[in-house]
Amino acid sequence: MKKSEIRRVIAACMTGAVVFGAVQMPVRAAGNVEAGITAMLGQSLTAGADEAEAEPEVPSTVCGYTNLGIAQVENHLNIREGAGEEYELVGKLPVDAGCEILSQEGEWYQIQSGKVTGYVKGEYLLTGQEAAARADEVKSIVAISATQTLNARVEPNTDCSIWTMIAEGEELPMLEDQGEWLKVDVDGDECYVAKEYVELSEQLPKAMTMTEIRYGEGISDVRVDMIQYACQFVGNRYVWGGTSLTNGVDCSGFTMRIYEKYGIYLPHSSSAQSGYGTRIDPSEAKPGDLFFYGNGGGINHVAMYIGNGQVVHASSSRTGIKISNAFYRSPICVTRLISD
């Protein structure tokens, strides 16, 4: 209630008190008048408080989204070219990934996330206040490399060895802000980067597009089939020591199972797998070849090349099976196990 309205209420009540006084109303009645004034003021103030305690509105933007949707699924949500199951798959939205809701067609929402624009079933999306609340629970701070080659070190200082090198524009989950240094996650391992060479951003996981997969000329049917098979598991869980493509797998378990389907049997170790096949120059890589990465002390991660400068790999428990730039880290070596 505005101050002017409160003054009018007091004035009206006081007028009533004067009239009652003129007819020599007992003091007890005057007390009732005072009680009436207090009650009326109390009701006005309570109403104002109720308005102030109303449910908060959804923020205008959440992690960069103005009309946020969050995937509420076990592994990933299929994104289709059109509003129907009959349309081609164009991408996948991992669990708790965010998207911009563009429009609605019946039970389908048109969404945009990362590089993917397409349609998902609305029943699998959180929206409105529910989405904003979930975003607060699952959002992460990522450090985005703002230099051509970002050195990730084993300790937060420049006197220690370089663990690996990160390409410009790559995003690393931040684990801890230590002032001049940030502790970050690189494929499940912890290392440190200088804060001055990165940009920090609050983010949700994004969609992964299947249209990013391209094949060069002269690629064998076996290679094409292999990477199509591997990419169907994008969005599934990472589990250290795991060997199940659907229930949880680690990096070497992923490549081991993919190659096993094509009659090539590899050990469950990225370091050991690097000893199989023929080493080639990264510039000669074809879909199906393996990229190996290290931490300064040896090889500790493996990914499968899918063409167009990209790899598919079981990255970490935070991101699961994903598609990345093949040079998001500096590769130690690249090997070929398939003879064309």
Side-chain angles (χ1 to χ4, degrees), residues 12-164:
C13 293
M14 291 303 294
T15 301
V18 171
V19 172
F20 287 135
V23 296
Q24 296 183 349
M25 188 173 186
V27 174
R28 184 176 57 191
N32 289 341
V33 171
E34 292 175 1
I37 295 174
T38 302
M40 292 179 69
L41 290 176
Q43 290 173 359
S44 300
L45 294 175
T46 300
D50 289 342
E51 292 175 3
E53 293 174 2
E55 184 176 337
E57 295 182 359
V58 178
S60 57
T61 60
V62 180
C63 296
Y65 298 99
T66 56
N67 191 13
L68 175 66
I70 291 185
Q72 189 180 33
V73 288
E74 185 174 344
N75 283 317
H76 58 262
L77 176 58
N78 288 332
I79 306 173
R80 298 192 177 275
E81 191 176 30
E85 297 282 359
E86 69 276 14
Y87 288 95
E88 290 292 325
L89 191 68
V90 295
K92 295 187 177 185
L93 200 63
V95 58
D96 289 328
C99 65
E100 186 74 30
I101 299 175
L102 305 177
S103 63
Q104 183 175 0
E105 295 184 27
E107 63 178 351
W108 292 82
Y109 285 102
Q110 184 186 32
I111 61 100
Q112 191 277 326
S113 178
K115 299 177 182 178
V116 186
T117 299
Y119 293 81
V120 299
K121 275 195 171 180
E123 64 183 292
Y124 299 114
L125 280 185
L126 292 177
T127 60
Q129 189 60 48
E130 284 186 315
R134 183 60 179 165
D136 280 337
E137 296 175 4
V138 301
K139 67 184 179 184
S140 62
I141 300 177
V142 299
I144 306 171
S145 173
T147 185
Q148 189 170 3
T149 302
L150 176 66
N151 291 330
R153 297 181 178 273
V154 296
E155 297 292 342
N157 60 69
T158 55
D159 296 327
C160 67
S161 60
I162 296 174
W163 190 86
T164 191

Side-chain angles (χ1 to χ4, degrees), residues 193-213:
V193 296
K195 194 173 186 178
E196 63 180 306
Y197 297 117
V198 302
E199 296 176 358
L200 297 178
S201 175
E202 280 190 345
Q203 292 191 12
L204 295 169
K206 302 182 185 71
M208 292 165 283
T209 176
M210 307 308 288
T211 59
E212 291 174 333
I213 303 171

Side-chain angles (χ1 to χ4, degrees), residues 238-244 248-254 256-257 268:
Y238 173 100
V239 174
W240 188 85
T243 58
S244 172
V249 68
D250 61 13
C251 67
S252 59
F254 177 70
M256 179 182 74
R257 289 302 187 209
H268 190 188

Side-chain angles (χ1 to χ4, degrees), residues 292-309:
F292 294 90
Y293 307 90
N295 59 1
I299 290 170
N300 71 344
H301 192 69
V302 60
M304 179 180 290
Y305 190 65
I306 60 174
N308 198 33

